[in-house]
Amino acid sequence: MHELSIATSIIEIAEEFAIKNKGANIIKIEIEVGELSGIVVDSLEFALELAIEKTVLERAKIIITTIKGMARCKQCGNEYVNSDWYTACPQCASMDFDITGGKELQIKSIFIE
Ligand SMILES: [Zn+2]
């Protein structure tokens, strides 16, 4: 499962972070997942739930935020929400666009105490 390996990387980053901060206790972690990243948020949540047992994230609150997929039309320059890669420009109906957002997967912040 793709999401399980992502969950493992998130835990590794959190563990490194805790070590760098002298073994600080992580109380909260915020993760951003783009709509076009190919990651299913429900699956990622489930994978994390399983994987965080006995790690630095075991007692941390995990907050996953979805970032909207965005495209910029190459014909008219309009920027619009494109949640599935296949949404035509609502202004001129062109399918010629650049994806400008929503592909990210990133840890936004880690809170320690
Ligand atoms: Zn357009």
Side-chain angles (χ1 to χ4, degrees):
M1 190 166 85
H2 183 47
E3 279 76 9
L4 189 57
S5 63
I6 295 164
T8 307
S9 325
I10 290 170
I11 291 162
E12 279 169 11
I13 293 166
E15 274 171 348
E16 261 172 50
F17 186 87
I19 291 164
K20 269 187 203 146
N21 288 277
K22 302 183 174 69
N25 197 13
I26 296 176
I27 52 169
K28 187 163 99 173
I29 182 165
E30 290 180 344
I31 301 160
E32 288 184 337
V33 178
E35 275 183 335
L36 304 177
S37 65
I39 296 154
V40 181
V41 171
D42 283 351
S43 305
L44 180 60
E45 272 175 350
F46 182 68
L48 275 167
E49 238 170 72
L50 296 177
I52 62 172
E53 212 176 299
K54 296 189 174 69
T55 72
V56 292
L57 291 179
E58 192 171 26
R59 277 178 295 276
K61 191 167 195 228
I62 297 171
I63 294 168
I64 301 178
T65 314
T66 309
I67 305 296
K68 283 252 170 256
M70 293 298 294
R72 184 183 294 113
C73 176
K74 284 195 205 172
Q75 298 304 316
C76 73
N78 182 34
E79 202 160 351
Y80 61 99
V81 174
N82 187 333
S83 299
D84 58 5
W85 292 99
Y86 302 111
T87 305
C89 173
Q91 203 156 280
C92 70
S94 169
M95 286 291 283
D96 191 15
F97 52 75
D98 286 322
I99 294 295
T100 54
K103 287 192 278 187
E104 54 275 85
L105 164 73
Q106 57 187 20
I107 295 174
K108 194 176 161 228
S109 42
I110 296 176
F111 296 86
I112 53 174
E113 64 173 14

